[in-house]
Amino acid sequence: MRATTRARHILSHLDTLEAESVHILREVAAEFERPALLFSGGKDSTVMLHLARKAFAPAPIPFPLLHVDTGHNFPETLEFRDRTVARFRVRLLVADVQSYIDAGELRERPDGTRNPLQTLPLLRAIEANRFDAVLGGGRRDEEKARAKERVFSLRDDFGQWDPRRQRPELWRLYNGRHRPGEHMRVFPLSNWTELDVWGYIRAEGIELPEIYFTHRRTVFLRDGMWLAPGSWGGPGDGEPVQDRMVRYRTVGDMSCTGAVDSPASSVDEVIAEIAASRVTERGSSRADDRMSEAAMEDRKREGYF
Protein backbone atom coordinates (compact mmCIF):
# COMPACT_ATOMS: atom_id res chain seq x y z
CA MET A 1 0.00 0.00 0.00
CA ARG A 2 2.82 2.38 0.90
CA ALA A 3 4.67 1.55 -2.31
CA THR A 4 1.52 2.21 -4.37
CA THR A 5 0.97 5.57 -2.67
CA ARG A 6 4.58 6.53 -3.27
CA ALA A 7 4.40 5.59 -6.96
CA ARG A 8 1.48 7.92 -7.47
CA HIS A 9 3.66 10.84 -6.41
CA ILE A 10 6.65 10.19 -8.67
CA LEU A 11 6.76 12.85 -11.36
CA SER A 12 7.65 12.01 -14.92
CA HIS A 13 10.66 13.64 -16.59
CA LEU A 14 8.41 16.17 -18.37
CA ASP A 15 6.38 16.82 -15.19
CA THR A 16 9.63 17.69 -13.40
CA LEU A 17 10.75 20.06 -16.16
CA GLU A 18 7.32 21.69 -16.25
CA ALA A 19 7.32 22.18 -12.48
CA GLU A 20 10.77 23.78 -12.58
CA SER A 21 9.78 26.17 -15.39
CA VAL A 22 6.53 27.14 -13.69
CA HIS A 23 8.48 27.84 -10.50
CA ILE A 24 10.89 30.10 -12.42
CA LEU A 25 8.05 31.99 -14.12
CA ARG A 26 6.34 32.59 -10.77
CA GLU A 27 9.67 33.62 -9.23
CA VAL A 28 10.11 36.25 -11.95
CA ALA A 29 6.59 37.58 -11.41
CA ALA A 30 7.28 37.81 -7.68
CA GLU A 31 10.81 39.31 -7.80
CA PHE A 32 10.56 41.82 -10.65
CA GLU A 33 8.40 44.86 -11.29
CA ARG A 34 8.31 44.92 -15.10
CA PRO A 35 9.05 41.56 -16.75
CA ALA A 36 8.31 40.61 -20.37
CA LEU A 37 8.31 37.34 -22.30
CA LEU A 38 10.05 37.10 -25.69
CA PHE A 39 7.66 35.55 -28.20
CA SER A 40 8.47 34.87 -31.86
CA GLY A 41 5.94 32.15 -32.67
CA GLY A 42 8.70 29.52 -32.61
CA LYS A 43 8.35 26.24 -30.71
CA ASP A 44 10.34 27.30 -27.63
CA SER A 45 8.55 30.61 -27.07
CA THR A 46 5.21 28.92 -27.77
CA VAL A 47 5.99 26.37 -25.04
CA MET A 48 7.00 29.28 -22.79
CA LEU A 49 3.65 30.97 -23.39
CA HIS A 50 1.85 27.71 -22.61
CA LEU A 51 3.82 27.36 -19.35
CA ALA A 52 3.10 30.97 -18.41
CA ARG A 53 -0.62 30.44 -18.91
CA LYS A 54 -0.41 27.38 -16.65
CA ALA A 55 1.68 29.18 -14.05
CA PHE A 56 -0.86 31.95 -13.46
CA ALA A 57 -4.20 30.36 -14.40
CA PRO A 58 -6.98 31.27 -13.98
CA ALA A 59 -5.51 34.80 -13.84
CA PRO A 60 -4.11 36.32 -17.05
CA ILE A 61 -0.37 36.33 -17.69
CA PRO A 62 0.97 39.28 -15.64
CA PHE A 63 3.41 40.57 -18.27
CA PRO A 64 3.39 41.42 -22.00
CA LEU A 65 4.99 39.55 -24.88
CA LEU A 66 7.82 41.12 -26.88
CA HIS A 67 8.84 40.21 -30.43
CA VAL A 68 11.80 41.66 -32.33
CA ASP A 69 10.59 41.50 -35.94
CA THR A 70 13.45 41.44 -38.44
CA GLY A 71 11.16 42.22 -41.39
CA HIS A 72 12.33 38.96 -42.96
CA ASN A 73 10.34 36.56 -40.83
CA PHE A 74 8.44 33.67 -42.37
CA PRO A 75 4.86 34.79 -43.16
CA GLU A 76 3.46 31.56 -41.65
CA THR A 77 5.16 32.34 -38.35
CA LEU A 78 3.87 35.90 -38.20
CA GLU A 79 0.34 34.69 -38.95
CA PHE A 80 0.66 32.14 -36.14
CA ARG A 81 2.08 34.80 -33.78
CA ASP A 82 -0.83 37.17 -34.34
CA ARG A 83 -3.45 34.42 -34.19
CA THR A 84 -2.00 33.10 -30.92
CA VAL A 85 -1.90 36.54 -29.34
CA ALA A 86 -5.54 37.15 -30.28
CA ARG A 87 -6.58 33.67 -29.11
CA PHE A 88 -5.10 34.07 -25.63
CA ARG A 89 -5.78 37.81 -25.36
CA VAL A 90 -2.24 38.72 -24.36
CA ARG A 91 -0.53 42.02 -25.08
CA LEU A 92 2.18 41.94 -27.74
CA LEU A 93 4.86 44.59 -28.22
CA VAL A 94 6.80 44.51 -31.49
CA ALA A 95 10.29 46.02 -31.90
CA ASP A 96 10.77 46.49 -35.63
CA VAL A 97 14.25 46.20 -37.21
CA GLN A 98 13.02 47.83 -40.44
CA SER A 99 12.16 51.09 -38.67
CA TYR A 100 15.74 51.35 -37.38
CA ILE A 101 17.09 50.77 -40.90
CA ASP A 102 14.71 53.42 -42.29
CA ALA A 103 15.91 55.86 -39.61
CA GLY A 104 19.54 55.23 -40.50
CA GLU A 105 20.39 53.75 -37.10
CA LEU A 106 21.08 50.31 -38.60
CA ARG A 107 22.59 49.37 -41.93
CA GLU A 108 21.78 46.31 -44.02
CA ARG A 109 24.52 43.69 -43.99
CA PRO A 110 26.11 42.56 -47.28
CA ASP A 111 24.92 38.99 -46.68
CA GLY A 112 21.31 40.15 -46.22
CA THR A 113 20.86 38.63 -42.78
CA ARG A 114 19.19 40.70 -40.11
CA ASN A 115 19.60 38.42 -37.11
CA PRO A 116 22.60 40.38 -35.78
CA LEU A 117 20.60 43.59 -36.28
CA GLN A 118 18.03 42.54 -33.66
CA THR A 119 20.23 43.55 -30.72
CA LEU A 120 19.69 47.32 -30.92
CA PRO A 121 15.86 47.15 -31.25
CA LEU A 122 15.78 44.63 -28.39
CA LEU A 123 17.85 46.82 -26.07
CA ARG A 124 15.87 49.94 -27.00
CA ALA A 125 12.59 48.12 -26.26
CA ILE A 126 13.91 46.98 -22.88
CA GLU A 127 15.01 50.52 -22.05
CA ALA A 128 11.84 52.24 -23.33
CA ASN A 129 9.53 49.89 -21.44
CA ARG A 130 11.82 49.77 -18.38
CA PHE A 131 11.77 45.97 -18.39
CA ASP A 132 13.80 44.60 -15.49
CA ALA A 133 13.48 40.95 -16.51
CA VAL A 134 13.13 39.45 -19.99
CA LEU A 135 12.12 35.81 -20.25
CA GLY A 136 13.65 33.92 -23.17
CA GLY A 137 13.26 30.41 -24.58
CA GLY A 138 16.99 29.68 -24.84
CA ARG A 139 18.12 26.17 -23.87
CA ARG A 140 21.57 24.95 -22.87
CA ASP A 141 21.58 22.11 -25.42
CA GLU A 142 21.22 24.51 -28.37
CA GLU A 143 24.69 26.01 -28.59
CA LYS A 144 27.84 26.26 -26.47
CA ALA A 145 27.42 29.95 -25.55
CA ARG A 146 23.91 29.24 -24.31
CA ALA A 147 25.28 26.29 -22.34
CA LYS A 148 27.22 28.82 -20.23
CA GLU A 149 24.13 30.77 -19.23
CA ARG A 150 22.64 30.66 -15.78
CA VAL A 151 18.83 30.58 -15.46
CA PHE A 152 18.98 34.17 -14.18
CA SER A 153 21.54 35.97 -16.37
CA LEU A 154 22.57 39.48 -15.37
CA ARG A 155 22.95 42.15 -18.09
CA ASP A 156 24.77 45.40 -17.37
CA ASP A 157 23.65 49.01 -17.93
CA PHE A 158 24.31 48.56 -21.66
CA GLY A 159 22.40 45.28 -21.87
CA GLN A 160 25.63 43.34 -22.30
CA TRP A 161 26.48 39.90 -20.96
CA ASP A 162 29.73 39.08 -19.21
CA PRO A 163 30.17 35.33 -18.54
CA ARG A 164 32.56 36.15 -15.68
CA ARG A 165 29.80 37.97 -13.82
CA GLN A 166 27.51 34.95 -13.76
CA ARG A 167 26.22 34.24 -10.31
CA PRO A 168 26.18 30.80 -8.72
CA GLU A 169 22.79 29.11 -8.65
CA LEU A 170 22.71 26.53 -5.89
CA TRP A 171 19.76 24.16 -5.86
CA ARG A 172 16.81 26.31 -6.98
CA LEU A 173 17.95 29.60 -5.45
CA TYR A 174 17.89 32.40 -8.04
CA ASN A 175 19.46 35.79 -7.44
CA GLY A 176 17.43 38.55 -9.09
CA ARG A 177 19.25 41.48 -7.51
CA HIS A 178 20.35 44.17 -9.93
CA ARG A 179 21.22 47.85 -9.89
CA PRO A 180 19.12 50.52 -11.64
CA GLY A 181 19.82 50.27 -15.36
CA GLU A 182 20.74 46.59 -15.22
CA HIS A 183 18.26 43.88 -16.04
CA MET A 184 18.00 40.13 -15.96
CA ARG A 185 17.53 37.66 -18.81
CA VAL A 186 15.74 34.58 -17.51
CA PHE A 187 15.67 31.19 -19.24
CA PRO A 188 13.02 28.84 -17.77
CA LEU A 189 13.77 26.17 -20.43
CA SER A 190 17.50 26.02 -19.66
CA ASN A 191 17.42 22.38 -18.62
CA TRP A 192 15.17 21.20 -21.47
CA THR A 193 16.43 19.54 -24.66
CA GLU A 194 14.93 19.76 -28.14
CA LEU A 195 13.42 16.31 -27.58
CA ASP A 196 11.93 17.43 -24.25
CA VAL A 197 10.28 20.39 -25.98
CA TRP A 198 8.74 18.19 -28.64
CA GLY A 199 7.70 15.58 -26.07
CA TYR A 200 5.95 18.31 -24.09
CA ILE A 201 4.29 19.66 -27.25
CA ARG A 202 2.92 16.15 -27.86
CA ALA A 203 1.81 15.63 -24.26
CA GLU A 204 0.07 19.01 -24.01
CA GLY A 205 -1.32 19.17 -27.57
CA ILE A 206 0.36 22.54 -28.25
CA GLU A 207 -0.23 24.06 -31.69
CA LEU A 208 2.78 25.17 -33.78
CA PRO A 209 3.28 26.94 -37.13
CA GLU A 210 2.96 24.57 -40.08
CA ILE A 211 6.53 25.17 -41.22
CA TYR A 212 7.72 22.82 -38.45
CA PHE A 213 6.23 19.96 -40.48
CA THR A 214 7.08 18.73 -43.95
CA HIS A 215 5.80 20.76 -46.89
CA ARG A 216 6.84 21.43 -50.46
CA ARG A 217 8.87 24.60 -50.63
CA THR A 218 11.00 26.44 -53.16
CA VAL A 219 14.55 26.64 -51.79
CA PHE A 220 18.11 27.10 -52.94
CA LEU A 221 21.38 25.73 -51.59
CA ARG A 222 23.92 27.98 -49.87
CA ASP A 223 26.82 26.69 -47.74
CA GLY A 224 25.11 23.33 -47.38
CA MET A 225 21.83 24.84 -46.16
CA TRP A 226 18.44 25.05 -47.92
CA LEU A 227 17.32 28.70 -47.75
CA ALA A 228 14.02 30.20 -48.89
CA PRO A 229 14.03 32.95 -51.54
CA GLY A 230 12.69 36.24 -50.30
CA SER A 231 12.86 39.99 -50.12
CA TRP A 232 16.07 39.68 -48.12
CA GLY A 233 17.97 39.16 -51.38
CA GLY A 234 18.40 35.45 -51.96
CA PRO A 235 19.12 33.61 -54.18
CA GLY A 236 22.26 35.05 -55.70
CA ASP A 237 23.84 34.38 -59.05
CA GLY A 238 24.64 30.70 -59.53
CA GLU A 239 22.14 29.57 -56.87
CA PRO A 240 19.34 27.79 -58.77
CA VAL A 241 16.05 27.23 -56.96
CA GLN A 242 14.25 23.89 -56.68
CA ASP A 243 11.18 22.45 -55.00
CA ARG A 244 11.83 20.05 -52.11
CA MET A 245 9.91 18.45 -49.23
CA VAL A 246 11.39 20.20 -46.20
CA ARG A 247 10.60 21.37 -42.71
CA TYR A 248 12.22 23.79 -40.24
CA ARG A 249 13.78 22.85 -36.89
CA THR A 250 14.01 26.52 -35.88
CA VAL A 251 12.22 29.64 -37.09
CA GLY A 252 14.01 32.95 -37.39
CA ASP A 253 15.14 35.38 -40.04
CA MET A 254 14.63 33.84 -43.50
CA SER A 255 18.11 34.89 -44.56
CA CYS A 256 19.87 32.61 -42.11
CA THR A 257 17.35 29.91 -41.15
CA GLY A 258 17.77 26.77 -43.20
CA ALA A 259 15.24 24.04 -43.92
CA VAL A 260 16.07 20.35 -43.63
CA ASP A 261 14.92 17.59 -45.97
CA SER A 262 12.24 15.72 -44.07
CA PRO A 263 9.14 13.57 -44.56
CA ALA A 264 7.96 14.24 -40.95
CA SER A 265 4.35 15.41 -41.06
CA SER A 266 3.31 14.82 -37.43
CA VAL A 267 4.69 15.45 -33.96
CA ASP A 268 5.44 11.73 -33.54
CA GLU A 269 7.39 11.65 -36.80
CA VAL A 270 9.32 14.79 -35.86
CA ILE A 271 10.26 13.24 -32.51
CA ALA A 272 11.48 10.06 -34.23
CA GLU A 273 13.51 12.14 -36.66
CA ILE A 274 15.15 14.23 -33.93
CA ALA A 275 15.91 11.15 -31.83
CA ALA A 276 17.92 9.74 -34.75
CA SER A 277 19.70 13.02 -35.57
CA ARG A 278 23.33 13.60 -34.60
CA VAL A 279 23.18 17.37 -35.21
CA THR A 280 21.55 20.01 -33.02
CA GLU A 281 18.80 22.18 -34.48
CA ARG A 282 21.05 25.24 -34.60
CA GLY A 283 23.91 23.23 -36.06
CA SER A 284 21.73 21.99 -38.90
CA SER A 285 19.71 25.10 -39.68
CA ARG A 286 21.25 28.40 -38.51
CA ALA A 287 23.73 30.10 -40.81
CA ASP A 288 24.24 32.98 -38.35
CA ASP A 289 25.93 30.58 -35.90
CA ARG A 290 28.51 29.70 -38.57
CA MET A 291 29.84 33.23 -38.95
CA SER A 292 32.64 32.42 -36.51
CA GLU A 293 33.52 29.89 -33.83
CA ALA A 294 32.19 32.26 -31.16
CA ALA A 295 29.39 33.91 -33.17
CA MET A 296 26.64 33.38 -30.61
CA GLU A 297 28.82 34.35 -27.64
CA ASP A 298 29.91 37.54 -29.40
CA ARG A 299 26.29 38.49 -30.09
CA LYS A 300 25.26 37.70 -26.52
CA ARG A 301 28.05 39.88 -25.16
CA GLU A 302 26.60 42.75 -27.22
CA GLY A 303 23.13 42.22 -25.77
CA TYR A 304 21.58 39.62 -28.08
CA PHE A 305 18.99 37.13 -26.78
Side-chain angles (χ1 to χ4, degrees), residues 80-94:
F80 175 80
R81 179 199 71 180
D82 294 340
R83 180 160 48 83
T84 301
V85 167
R87 176 186 177 191
F88 296 125
R89 300 181 180 180
V90 288
R91 185 160 69 98
L92 173 69
L93 305 174
V94 178

Side-chain angles (χ1 to χ4, degrees), residues 29-233:
E31 284 197 41
F32 296 90
E33 295 181 359
R34 297 178 68 87
L37 189 153
L38 293 168
F39 181 72
S40 64
K43 66 182 187 308
D44 299 307
S45 61
T46 300
V47 166
M48 287 268 289
L49 178 59
H50 182 84
L51 289 164
R53 293 177 57 240
K54 272 197 164 185
F56 304 107
I61 298 172
F63 37 74
L65 309 185
L66 172 63
H67 182 213
V68 180
D69 187 347
T70 66
H72 292 160
N73 292 105
F74 291 94
E76 300 96 322
T77 309
L78 293 180
E79 185 278 330
F80 175 80
R81 179 199 71 180
D82 294 340
R83 180 160 48 83
T84 301
V85 167
R87 176 186 177 191
F88 296 125
R89 300 181 180 180
V90 288
R91 185 160 69 98
L92 173 69
L93 305 174
V94 178
D96 184 18
V97 171
Q98 184 65 54
S99 63
Y100 285 84
I101 294 174
D102 294 342
E105 296 188 76
L106 289 174
R107 181 180 297 177
E108 292 275 18
R109 293 168 51 89
D111 59 7
T113 184
R114 289 184 174 179
N115 253 20
L117 305 186
Q118 294 179 89
T119 300
L120 178 63
L122 171 64
L123 296 179
R124 290 281 180 83
I126 291 171
E127 182 181 11
N129 292 282
R130 294 184 289 116
F131 292 136
D132 54 1
V134 181
L135 293 148
R139 310 186 321 267
R140 290 184 176 127
D141 77 320
E142 288 183 73
E143 198 275 338
K144 53 184 178 295
R146 287 189 165 169
K148 294 180 181 179
E149 286 274 23
R150 299 288 197 268
V151 175
F152 277 37
S153 179
L154 182 67
R155 303 302 168 106
D156 66 16
D157 307 58
F158 303 99
Q160 297 176 334
W161 176 62
D162 183 351
R164 294 169 299 183
R165 292 188 66 200
Q166 295 283 291
R167 295 165 174 173
E169 290 180 337
L170 304 177
W171 304 288
R172 293 294 182 265
L173 299 176
Y174 304 113
N175 185 348
R177 291 187 178 181
H178 61 283
R179 298 178 305 178
E182 296 178 335
H183 69 273
M184 204 69 69
R185 304 284 175 86
V186 183
F187 304 101
L189 303 185
S190 286
N191 293 328
W192 297 51
T193 66
E194 184 184 12
L195 267 180
D196 293 330
V197 170
W198 277 100
Y200 190 70
I201 288 167
R202 176 172 61 185
E204 297 288 306
I206 299 172
E207 183 187 2
L208 290 180
E210 287 299 316
I211 65 173
Y212 277 110
F213 304 98
T214 189
H215 58 287
R216 185 171 295 280
R217 198 174 196 97
T218 301
V219 292
F220 66 94
L221 190 63
R222 177 177 292 175
D223 297 331
M225 195 170 291
W226 294 113
L227 298 179
S231 59
W232 59 274

